[in-house]
Amino acid sequence: MALLHYKNLGVSRPDLLMKQAFFGLKTFYDFLRRTRDYMESEAAVRRLAWQPGHPPDDNRAEHPDGVWIQLVEPDDRPNEPEATFREFLNENVKKLHVVPDPDPDPDPDSAPPPARVQRLKFGDYETIEVLDRDPENYQLLVDSTPAGPELLLRPNTWSLACQLRALQALQNGPGATQRPVLRLFEPLHHARWPEVRRQRLPLADWMVLTDSERPGTSEQRRFVEIALATPDFAFLEGPPGSGKTTAICELVLQLAQRGKRVLLCASTHVAVDNVLERIMDERNAHRDLVIPVRIGDRRNVSAGARPWQLERFVRTERERLLRALRRQRRMSESQHSFLKIISHEESAIERLVLDAANLVCGTMIGILQHPDIKKGGGMAVDFDVLIVDEASKTTFQEFLVPALLAKRWIVVGDPKQLSPYVDDTAMAVNVETCLPDANIRNACVDAFLASQHSARKRRTAVVACDVAGVHAYEAQCAARDIDVCTASADSFTLATASIVVDQLEQIERARDQLPLDVGTIRAPEYTLSSVRRRAEAWRCSTKQRQEELPQWANNISWRLARLYEQRFAEPPEEDDRRTTTARLRRDIDLLLPVSDTGVDPEKVRQEIDRVRRVALPSVLESLRYGFERDPRQRNGTAISDGLPNTTIEQRHVLLRTQHRMHPEIAAFSHEHIYDGEALWTPESMQSEREWSYTRYARRAVWLDVRGGFNSQHNANPQEARMAVGELRHFDDWARQNPRDDGRPWEVAMLTFYRGQARELRGLLRQWTKNDHAMRHFSRGPKQRPYLSIDLCTIDGFQGYEADLVVISFASPHPTSFLESPNRLNVALTRARYQRVVVGNRHGMRRAHGGPLGIFADQEPWEQIIEEVQR
């Protein structure tokens, strides 16, 4: 049956194309299927704590009996990732499970329970209904106060199901419009990409890009002309502030004028709403060309875009039509019928709105709430053009769902900014299948961790397993030069071993002779109770936190993600083992099994690489540059090698000029991130960013703060106090120097860690008297503040900008997370007038082989720091 669909595509060898598509998509399908199966299991439970919340300012009395709660990190997981909060705040979440209070009087003779995350089950826990959400402040409106301190969530797998369905549709029943997507899986020497001839527009036809003298306009116009002419793909790249959003607005208007329907998607709500607000601005003389619909929960949609949010749009149009019909003195029969229909239901109006809309907008996940996509799996919707903004944050499998709804695809983004979000859990689930033997996995990770512990931080692992597992441990430890022994060894050997491995019965007999510093216990639950109590006592005496049992797949996965983030760093010299890239590669090598365990390490590496090629690259990066071939792949494809250069040249535009930052702020990224090829600053920006705030000698400064880091909470109180202190100085000036346009001055307080954001939040609440604020703070009268403050992590601030940006590193030394060139680039390119970095400059100078070390080490910065500190 599938072959019939391929024959209808009009290709010479439909059977060959079907085979190429099947095997090309199979790796993606397997990755998503394994991820979905795990997410639907109880092992994937998500857990957060809560505290009393505060109704948002625009709260409506839709649910008068509801209770607002604020989501916070559990006590035992102070560095819970942002992704967990996003899952709880997802608009698809309708109910949560409540974890009751733990037993206040546990049996002192019973074994301590295993890690909490492993024993949480949904079971018969009480549930509460989610009525509304306030994503900006991490709040939920629930139907009753939770009866316990923590909440559980079963992850939503709707987006994974849609991605799997899209892959199956492309494999089994592609349509003629999807021929270019299938071409991505053809061998490069065989695939034929049509030539693109720009559709040159007369000067009078431009609607937004009307100023031909403005630097960068010619590049933006070239992109629009290519996008209008392409039969398949077009690509727009550009650094921050280069006008990508403006170019998208022009393209949407041009397409609307030609009677085309456009689907606009992006990874974040702010990117979608920026385009929509710009197009529908009352000052835009061409706004009537567009009938937009914004798909998404109303609280995720900006105030400026909210009139076009689907439910609100439908409600407004229904009320308008009802008023118009009821004013009629004499209605026709059809008008009577229509009035009857819309008086009792909104579905008819919703259908009219959806059919009339020529611009449908939503995030990559939010667009899945489109009524037709939900009802028909997406196949019932038809668009002429898909525009994917922030495509550098979108994976190929995420792109594929909306891509199958359109005939042409416009891919917009910046590969030098943040990459796709990597779900460590999803990646680990897939990496685990690369080494099926659990004993060998455990041997690899335990031997690796033993090799990383210094004598001062030594901890012993006790492992109960079968004979084959004992052999795996002995082989892995021998290759890694780790002291390992069985439980029958003499007392001295037991006391000095890093790993004690044996069958459970043998370990039980030798439990009194085991070392005192046992930190890891691998054994069935509720066994080795005395050993577990001793381990807990040792942790308390050494002030170490109880950690989850180390997992091989997790240790591989997060290192792969961090290694990917280093891809634009300077390549390390062969003998330089100090770089983050070299260290991560070395760690991954040490985590692989040795051949004496009975496993071929090279095959394991190849399987891991197969997972990596699906999980990590963005669709923009894959199509522009490729992301490595599978060793079993004889011929390169557009997915593995990137599109051919001649094909890219006809379809690709790079915007080189920025219009956001003072030139001193843009200088570092221009030189060290974009290698001088982009982020050019026009001469006019110097005068456009003039202001009278003279606290700093330059527009980009670093304030050196040493010490004060709390590694358990990823917070640095000393740094936070200095950052807020700098903000107080700016506040004194802003109060006396209001902006000419009457709007408040905008400040962004940015940090790399949620823990440091929590530290800054406490100080900002105290200073601004905004006791319930989470992200947005202000100074001055509530209705007309003179200062607006946005507190956010770096990863959450892409797409935003501010007049003054204060960046807190928190950590006293470079980490693989901090050293990501993309993350650093986002941090450094948010400010319009002034950028202030607060951190341990001496510590960051130890970063080798990447932009962070260069950034901290540049000579002018040291001189400026000395001037500021004086």
Side-chain angles (χ1 to χ4, degrees):
M1 187 66 179
L3 185 58
L4 291 176
H5 289 278
Y6 281 87
K7 286 182 177 179
N8 289 334
L9 297 178
V11 297
S12 59
R13 288 290 305 275
D15 58 328
L16 184 60
L17 179 59
M18 184 176 69
K19 181 179 178 181
Q20 292 164 342
F22 177 82
F23 286 104
L25 293 166
K26 185 178 185 301
T27 306
F28 293 92
Y29 185 87
D30 290 344
F31 179 92
L32 293 172
R33 179 182 52 78
R34 286 190 291 259
T35 303
R36 181 203 59 192
D37 292 346
Y38 173 78
M39 290 299 182
E40 290 177 347
S41 72
E42 289 191 345
V45 60
R46 299 291 190 261
R47 173 168 60 94
L48 286 177
W50 67 275
Q51 63 188 26
H54 184 73
D57 292 338
D58 62 344
N59 183 47
R60 300 174 181 176
E62 297 178 14
H63 308 287
D65 298 327
V67 178
W68 282 100
I69 61 172
Q70 193 165 78
L71 301 172
V72 295
E73 298 88 344
D75 290 338
D76 62 322
R77 296 173 65 89
N79 298 312
E80 187 69 30
E82 185 79 21
T84 304
F85 288 83
R86 285 202 299 267
E87 290 192 44
F88 271 78
L89 293 163
N90 188 296
E91 54 203 70
N92 295 315
V93 172
K94 303 302 180 186
K95 69 177 182 178
L96 299 170
H97 297 260
V98 182
V99 182
D101 282 308
D103 185 359
D105 299 310
D107 182 357
D109 295 325
S110 64
R116 298 175 71 186
V117 73
Q118 296 180 12
R119 64 182 171 89
L120 291 176
K121 304 291 184 182
F122 288 105
D124 298 324
Y125 284 168
E126 173 196 347
T127 61
I128 56 174
E129 299 294 322
V130 177
L131 307 175
D132 202 351
R133 55 196 53 78
D134 176 19
E136 289 286 325
N137 295 304
Y138 302 102
Q139 293 194 134
L140 293 174
L141 181 66
V142 293
D143 63 344
S144 61
T145 303
E150 294 181 345
L151 305 170
L152 297 183
L153 170 69
R154 189 189 298 274
N156 188 284
T157 57
W158 169 242
S159 62
L160 292 172
C162 289
Q163 292 172 36
L164 284 165
R165 194 158 48 236
L167 289 167
Q168 289 176 316
L170 198 56
Q171 285 178 321
N172 301 326
T177 58
Q178 290 147 16
R179 177 72 182 89
V181 176
L182 293 172
R183 194 176 291 132
L184 299 174
F185 297 94
E186 291 185 279
L188 288 175
H189 68 271
H190 181 267
R192 297 291 178 266
W193 293 92
E195 184 178 356
V196 178
R197 296 183 181 276
R198 288 168 57 186
Q199 190 178 111
R200 296 188 180 274
L201 300 180
L203 291 178
D205 287 358
W206 294 104
M207 303 183 214
V208 178
L209 302 172
T210 55
D211 187 356
S212 57
E213 301 300 318
R214 190 171 189 260
T217 299
S218 60
E219 296 166 345
Q220 293 170 304
R221 287 180 173 180
R222 179 169 174 266
F223 158 71
V224 172
E225 292 173 340
I226 289 174
L228 290 174
T230 184
D232 38 57
F233 290 94
F235 302 89
L236 178 65
E237 289 184 47
S242 59
K244 297 188 293 295
T245 299
T246 304
I248 291 173
C249 292
E250 179 70 60
L251 175 60
V252 170
L253 291 169
Q254 294 289 344
L255 290 167
Q257 191 176 52
R258 289 159 175 76
K260 305 296 183 183
R261 295 189 72 211
V262 179
L263 177 61
L264 171 68
C265 295
S267 295
T268 62
H269 295 282
V270 64
V272 174
D273 293 341
N274 279 345
V275 175
L276 182 54
E277 289 180 25
R278 292 274 296 276
I279 290 175
M280 302 309 293
D281 191 304
E282 293 183 358
R283 293 168 294 184
N284 179 11
H286 307 283
R287 68 195 297 265
D288 291 339
L289 288 171
V290 178
I291 302 175
V293 167
R294 175 66 161 91
I295 306 295
D297 186 86
R298 66 182 177 86
R299 290 203 175 274
N300 288 323
V301 179
S302 69
R306 206 164 288 167
W308 296 278
Q309 190 257 348
L310 177 59
E311 287 75 17
R312 180 168 175 176
F313 195 178
V314 168
R315 187 167 57 249
T316 301
E317 287 302 297
R318 180 171 176 266
E319 292 170 355
R320 184 180 64 82
L321 287 169
L322 286 172
R323 285 195 302 269
L325 287 170
R326 287 166 178 165
R327 282 198 299 264
Q328 298 290 325
R329 293 184 177 180
R330 294 183 179 180
M331 284 190 288
S332 65
E333 185 177 344
S334 59
Q335 287 176 324
H336 269 294
S337 299
F338 188 47
L339 177 61
K340 184 178 179 180
I341 291 172
I342 66 175
S343 295
H344 296 90
E345 56 179 287
E346 293 185 352
S347 58
I349 301 299
E350 181 182 84
R351 185 73 265 155
L352 286 173
V353 168
L354 291 173
D355 290 344
N358 57 2
L359 174 63
V360 177
C361 316
T363 62
M364 302 301 295
I365 293 177
I367 201 67
L368 302 178
Q369 296 305 309
H370 188 292
D372 291 339
I373 296 177
K374 290 180 69 174
K375 182 167 44 181
M379 301 303 105
V381 194
D382 184 27
F383 293 92
D384 296 290
V385 178
L386 165 68
I387 301 175
V388 180
D389 196 6
E390 293 188 322
S392 55
K393 296 177 67 176
T394 303
T395 62
F396 177 78
Q397 54 269 28
E398 290 171 333
F399 160 79
L400 205 56
V401 177
L404 296 191
L405 311 179
K407 301 168 185 171
R408 291 182 283 162
W409 307 275
I410 312 302
V411 181
V412 181
D414 179 9
K416 299 296 181 73
Q417 294 190 63
L418 290 174
S419 306
Y421 165 71
V422 179
D423 188 324
D424 291 338
T425 302
M427 194 167 179
V429 167
N430 284 274
V431 167
E432 187 173 288
T433 64
C434 303
L435 185 55
D437 192 308
N439 285 328
I440 299 178
R441 291 199 304 267
N442 293 339
C444 290
V445 69
D446 287 344
F448 170 78
L449 293 176
S451 70
Q452 306 301 301
H453 293 148
S454 62
R456 185 171 59 86
K457 294 184 177 181
R458 181 181 180 276
R459 56 191 299 178
T460 303
V462 172
V463 182
C465 59
D466 57 21
V467 175
V470 174
H471 170 72
Y473 268 89
E474 290 175 339
Q476 192 73 18
C477 290
R480 303 295 184 232
D481 196 25
I482 302 301
D483 292 327
V484 62
C485 71
T486 61
S488 59
D490 61 78
S491 58
F492 177 79
T493 303
L494 278 172
T496 58
S498 295
I499 299 176
V500 178
V501 58
D502 213 326
Q503 297 179 67
L504 179 60
E505 297 80 2
Q506 303 302 321
I507 295 177
E508 285 277 14
R509 291 194 190 100
R511 60 182 179 273
D512 294 334
Q513 285 75 46
L514 294 175
L516 295 176
D517 57 353
V518 174
T520 299
I521 301 175
R522 293 191 188 275
E525 289 186 13
Y526 305 110
T527 62
L528 301 178
S529 56
S530 62
V531 180
R532 293 182 193 275
R533 285 196 298 271
R534 205 161 65 222
E536 181 64 26
W538 173 77
R539 274 192 294 268
C540 292
S541 65
T542 56
K543 298 181 179 179
Q544 296 194 40
R545 286 184 297 137
Q546 180 173 352
E547 298 175 353
E548 296 174 22
L549 210 57
Q551 300 295 325
W552 176 79
N554 294 75
N555 274 271
I556 290 277
S557 297
W558 76 258
R559 286 177 171 84
L560 288 174
R562 293 292 177 267
L563 184 59
Y564 172 66
E565 291 181 342
Q566 298 296 317
R567 66 197 183 282
F568 293 122
E570 291 293 325
E573 299 178 6
E574 291 186 7
D575 60 344
D576 191 351
R577 299 171 59 84
R578 299 171 299 172
T579 65
T580 296
T581 299
R583 185 179 71 252
L584 290 170
R585 286 176 178 163
R586 185 168 63 250
D587 287 354
I588 293 171
D589 288 342
L590 291 173
L591 280 161
L592 293 177
V594 297
S595 55
D596 286 347
T597 61
V599 175
D600 184 349
E602 193 54 39
K603 287 186 178 179
V604 175
R605 186 191 298 275
Q606 290 177 7
E607 291 299 320
I608 291 173
D609 283 342
R610 197 164 288 119
V611 172
R612 182 173 60 91
R613 283 189 288 270
V614 173
L616 297 178
S618 69
V619 61
L620 175 59
E621 187 174 358
S622 293
L623 299 185
R624 280 281 286 115
Y625 310 107
F627 197 66
E628 306 171 16
R629 295 187 192 180
D630 190 303
R632 298 178 298 185
Q633 183 181 342
R634 288 188 301 173
N635 300 306
T637 65
I639 289 291
S640 65
D641 293 28
L643 288 164
N645 289 336
T646 54
T647 302
I648 285 292
E649 288 171 2
Q650 295 177 4
R651 292 163 169 79
H652 173 263
V653 173
L654 171 65
L655 302 182
R656 303 175 186 273
T657 308
Q658 69 90 11
H659 297 276
R660 173 185 296 170
M661 295 159 268
H662 187 280
E664 290 181 15
I665 298 172
F668 181 84
S669 289
H670 165 69
E671 181 178 352
H672 296 286
I673 302 293
Y674 297 97
D675 300 319
E677 295 181 357
L679 210 69
W680 289 96
T681 303
E683 295 180 2
S684 60
M685 287 304 296
Q686 179 90 26
S687 58
E688 287 182 27
R689 292 294 177 255
E690 286 297 327
W691 68 349
S692 60
Y693 188 57
T694 58
R695 175 169 173 76
Y696 310 108
R698 292 171 62 92
R699 296 303 186 91
V701 298
W702 188 316
L703 307 184
D704 197 6
V705 181
R706 303 187 183 185
F709 183 61
N710 182 330
S711 59
Q712 182 174 347
H713 294 90
N714 281 342
N716 192 320
Q718 185 176 340
E719 220 175 88
R721 286 193 296 271
M722 174 168 275
V724 174
E726 294 304 306
L727 185 52
R728 286 174 178 267
H729 285 289
F730 184 72
D731 177 81
D732 292 338
W733 174 85
R735 190 187 307 111
Q736 304 298 325
N737 296 271
R739 284 177 56 138
D740 295 337
D741 58 7
R743 296 170 54 199
W745 289 102
E746 297 174 353
V747 175
M749 299 284 288
L750 304 183
T751 181
F752 293 83
Y753 299 106
R754 282 185 55 86
Q756 184 69 348
R758 191 165 52 246
E759 190 72 32
L760 287 163
R761 185 175 298 118
L763 295 174
L764 289 173
R765 283 177 172 177
Q766 183 180 6
W767 175 50
T768 64
K769 310 302 182 187
N770 300 157
D771 296 335
H772 302 286
M774 288 290 290
R775 174 167 176 167
H776 300 295
F777 300 82
S778 62
R779 293 277 291 169
K782 187 173 183 179
Q783 300 303 321
R784 289 186 59 84
Y786 61 84
L787 187 63
S788 170
I789 306 163
D790 206 351
L791 171 64
C792 196
T793 59
I794 303 296
D795 287 29
F797 205 70
Q798 180 167 314
Y800 294 90
E801 58 188 271
D803 300 315
L804 166 66
V805 172
V806 181
I807 304 168
S808 172
F809 274 92
S811 176
H813 54 79
T815 65
S816 56
F817 184 77
L818 293 175
E819 289 187 73
S820 164
N822 297 55
R823 184 168 289 108
L824 181 65
N825 183 38
V826 171
L828 300 184
T829 53
R830 302 301 99 194
R832 302 186 194 105
Y833 290 86
Q834 179 73 55
R835 183 183 69 217
V836 179
V837 171
V838 181
N840 189 326
R841 178 176 176 270
H842 178 74
M844 296 305 155
R845 291 175 68 182
R846 294 197 293 267
H848 298 283
L852 178 58
I854 301 171
F855 177 64
D857 196 45
Q858 283 196 340
E859 185 68 21
W861 291 78
E862 185 174 5
Q863 296 171 356
I864 299 160
I865 291 168
E866 291 173 353
E867 287 181 27
V868 172
Q869 289 183 328
R870 281 200 298 268

